Amino acid sequence: MKTEVRQGSILSPQLFILPMDQVLKQAEKDLQAVERGDHSLTFAYADDSGLVVCTSAEFQETLDIWSKVLT
């Protein structure tokens, strides 16, 4: 059986938001446990998210955490 939600359906945003909210919460929890710079941020709006970090090491560490949360 194949089920899909068409683009533009009123269910599409809700089906995206529900799991994404949990992903964001878990990523923020995991990122708070790691020592990061004062200017390190994760933010999200609609279906976009952004990372602000000060060093390439922080960037890699943040990406590793996001990768772990998403898998």
Side-chain angles (χ1 to χ4, degrees):
M1 174 190 269
K2 181 179 176 186
T3 310
E4 60 184 52
V5 177
R6 293 185 180 269
Q7 185 174 357
S9 168
I10 60 171
L11 290 177
S12 296
Q14 291 299 325
L15 292 174
F16 176 80
I17 290 169
L18 290 173
M20 193 61 182
D21 185 51
Q22 293 302 311
V23 167
L24 285 168
K25 286 178 182 177
Q26 186 62 48
E28 279 299 311
K29 181 181 172 186
D30 291 355
L31 289 168
Q32 286 177 358
V34 175
E35 195 68 34
R36 298 191 308 160
D38 293 338
H39 296 95
S40 297
L41 301 169
T42 302
F43 55 93
Y45 178 78
D47 62 350
D48 297 320
S49 58
L51 306 172
V52 178
V53 294
C54 296
T55 67
S56 60
E58 287 176 351
F59 180 68
Q60 187 60 53
E61 192 169 40
T62 302
L63 286 180
D64 291 345
I65 289 171
W66 270 93
S67 178
K68 183 185 112 195
V69 169
L70 289 168
T71 56

